[in-house]
Amino acid sequence: MYIRTEEDEIMVTISMEIQILFAALLFLIGLIGFLVRRNIIFMLMSIEIMLNSAALVFVIAGAHWLQADGQVMFIFILTVSAAEVSVGLALILQMYHHFKTLDADALRKLRDSRENEDIPQ
Amino acid sequence: MRILIPLIPAIPLLSFLIIALAGRFISKKAVGAIGTGSVIFSALITIAAGLYFLSSAGEGAVTSSVYSWINTGGFSAGISFLLDPLSLVFCFVITFVGALIHLYSIEFMRDDDGFRRFFAYMNLFVGSMLILVLADNLLLLYLGWEGVGLCSYLLIGFWYKEPENGYAARKAFIVTRIGDTAMILGLFLLLISFGTLNIQDLMQQASGRWAAGSPLAVISAVLLLGGALGKSAQLPLQTWLPDAMAGPSPVSALIHAATMVTAGVYLITRTHVLFTLAPVVMTAIAVIGAITLLIAGFSALAQHDLKRVLAYSTISQIGYMFLAMGIGAWSAAVFHFMIHAFFKALLFLSAGAVIHLLHHEHDMFRMGGLHKKMPLIFYTFLTGAASLSALPLITAGFYSKDQILWFGWTSASSSHWLWLAGITGALLTSLYTFRMVFITFYGELKTEPHEKAGALMTVPLIILAILSAAGGFIELPENFGPVHLFSRLFETVLPSVAIEEGSSELIFQIVSAVITLGGIYLAYLLFFRNSPIVKRIRGTRLSDFFYSGWGFDWLYNFLFVKPVVWFSEVDRKDFIDAVYTSIARMTGYFNVLISRSQNGKLRWYVLFLTAGITVLLVVILSL
């Protein structure tokens, strides 16, 4: 696809499928990072990646339909993620303060207490 | 006048609502004042209504409709009241004796934690009982009937922290419920037959459409009788009343002596037209009354608990009322009801005072020698006892019981056997009554009373004592003088007795006087002089048999309770239960299975979440 700009330069654009696929890949990276990492800080970073991949889809859509809304939405998401990170980091600090660890798997107090019981016949 | 009638039950009910809803915000004194004041107010209205009735003699009844309760498919029942001489007498006893008992309760219950609860229940009881006796249709009557049953249950189990009191309450409720079931079936039968439950219409149509002795009349009379037997503790449903003594003494006085247990008498008298259509049932009533009064009289002879003696005595005296109704002496039954309410309430309140002052000591054999320690209570108790054993001329009990015995001999529908049962019962009555007096108040002092009774307790006793002694003068025997205030009042509502001529009333009065005095003398010999015979009889099989109330509890336990318990034990694992248990077990199984997934690992949760979303997306996209 070719677009003729005002300066008469020819810009090569990438098709939307690939753009979306790229965003999906980014999301998958974040998700896998979240699942495999045990360090809570890395998990928070993975969440950020996922959030940004979602925001990227807005930008892609905005560019596709030539609407400014997509970029406005991106700004909003950026704000929300900034707020979320600040809360998340505060929680992580508290967590380290209390448990002296950053390992998410070590925090299992909410598990079912009957976990080790036998299933009744 | 019409406006006043609904107020009679409404005021105690209003007071019940106030105490039940706002009781915790008012002081105990105010609760007592409201609870007692409402009943006194009702009593004043009743007295005003009574004066109106006496002044305008001949006017039959006043009805007052408040509200149309049910009106559907051609059937209607209203919250409407009927005041005639019969309900007037019952109202008077309920409100007047009730007010005295409320007054007494203020002091009796003063130190009880459940003071407010007590007054709330008592007011609810008075309200329900007044609805019962004022109702102009049988459905409203049934509402009051169940209301008093509920209050009886609540007040027997008033001290619910003792498990036995709870058992006694449940026993009373279940046994009377057997009678109530028969009664509601009777109401259905009447409703199907006549399409109305209004008592006056019903009686008019019944006498018009049913011939005497027709099967429907007999069946409906039997069913109504069932209700009356349960409520009035007559054979074979009498077993609950002695256990009902677990409640506080004012409750025993009001509910289990003066008012509620006589609801059966009221019901039968109110529907007497129906019963006269079934002569078989009338005979049955008389025979049941005669047998009950003898059985209860013998049982009373062997009791140790002061209140249980009085309970059996109540059963026995209601037996007299049933005997009177069975031979058609309606006004004699109601007269005995009124006098009985006075002296039995007096006896229960005096006994309650004794028990209260001796730290809840119920056993007569651990009292003794109290006539010097509490002379006032002794004299009021003695008056009640004299009235109960029908001491001639000076007590009210003589006039009411003598009337029943006289009709027992002379009534056309009576047999001399019934009179014989009555006169034997009179001997038993004076024997067990004065046994109680001698054991409780004479002999050596065994328990020291810890305080003196206050004015709130003694004033009701004195008033009731005066009534128990002098209340009989409103209705004298024919040969004493022409005073018939009571039966004159009933001329318009209740038929009088058909009398066979040829006997002299004086001879019968002398016989019953001799029997009563003989009973008292016998009690004096046996229990005041401590005759060795008494010691020999105590502990024998016969004495135990009487003590247990002729083994009826054992019999019912054997016949009904044990088979049902056995069957339910056996039937515990039938297939219906199996279905429900397997559902429960399956739920438990899945619960444990799924709760395994709650392992507390955040990353596992996210994995499941992702997997779930993936599956959902695949499903949605592939559709």
Side-chain angles (χ1 to χ4, degrees), chain A residues 46-91:
Chain A
S46 305
I47 291 176
E48 287 306 309
I49 293 172
M50 285 191 277
L51 212 58
N52 279 310
S53 75
L56 184 59
V57 176
F58 275 106
V59 176
I60 291 167
H64 181 71
W65 283 296
L66 299 173
Q67 297 276 333
D69 306 24
Q71 290 177 35
V72 171
M73 215 55 206
F74 179 77
I75 303 286
F76 274 135
I77 290 173
L78 212 64
T79 321
V80 169
S81 76
E84 175 247 308
V85 163
S86 64
V87 173
L89 282 174
L91 282 173

Side-chain angles (χ1 to χ4, degrees), chain B residues 229-448:
Chain B
L229 290 181
K231 215 39 143 203
S232 291
Q234 297 293 293
L235 205 69
L237 298 176
Q238 85 285 32
T239 54
W240 64 271
L241 191 57
D243 288 329
M245 296 300 121
S249 296
V251 173
S252 312
L254 180 61
I255 301 184
H256 304 117
T259 56
M260 187 194 82
V261 285
T262 50
V265 177
Y266 174 78
L267 177 69
I268 296 177
T269 316
R270 176 54 83 200
T271 54
H272 65 91
V273 177
L274 186 66
F275 282 89
T276 32
L277 289 176
V280 196
V281 184
M282 290 286 277
T283 316
I285 295 175
V287 171
I288 287 172
I291 297 174
T292 309
L293 78 89
L294 288 178
I295 285 182
F298 278 115
S299 302
L301 269 179
Q303 301 303 312
H304 300 165
D305 184 332
L306 190 56
K307 281 179 74 184
R308 278 181 91 90
V309 179
L310 292 172
Y312 277 111
S313 157
T314 305
I315 299 176
S316 172
Q317 297 304 310
I318 297 171
Y320 275 106
M321 295 173 210
F322 270 65
L323 174 64
M325 290 191 297
I327 58 177
W330 304 106
S331 92
V334 179
F335 187 45
H336 193 55
F337 146 75
M338 187 176 88
I339 303 297
H340 172 256
F342 293 150
F343 66 67
K344 195 49 72 65
L346 170 63
L347 283 169
F348 265 116
L349 293 185
S350 304
V354 170
I355 291 166
H356 185 65
L357 299 182
L358 295 184
H359 292 293
H360 296 278
E361 178 58 67
H362 280 247
D363 193 339
M364 287 194 292
F365 291 97
R366 291 163 75 180
M367 294 173 176
L370 293 172
H371 74 288
K372 276 187 189 147
K373 289 284 171 187
M374 33 179 96
L376 186 94
I377 293 170
F378 167 66
Y379 284 116
T380 55
F381 193 89
L382 190 67
T383 317
S387 198
L388 169 60
S389 48
L391 201 67
L393 302 181
I394 53 164
T395 63
F398 170 72
Y399 296 100
S400 63
K401 202 182 280 180
D402 184 66
Q403 205 179 21
I404 292 176
L405 290 174
W406 165 244
F407 288 135
W409 183 271
T410 55
S411 165
S413 52
S414 177
S415 110
H416 294 177
W417 288 106
L418 292 175
W419 176 81
L420 196 65
I423 203 82
T424 317
L427 177 70
L428 285 172
T429 309
S430 53
L431 192 60
Y432 69 68
T433 309
F434 278 86
R435 167 180 179 267
M436 187 164 66
V437 172
F438 289 133
I439 293 176
T440 311
F441 291 98
Y442 287 94
E444 54 187 290
L445 189 72
K446 285 164 197 150
T447 315
E448 190 78 31

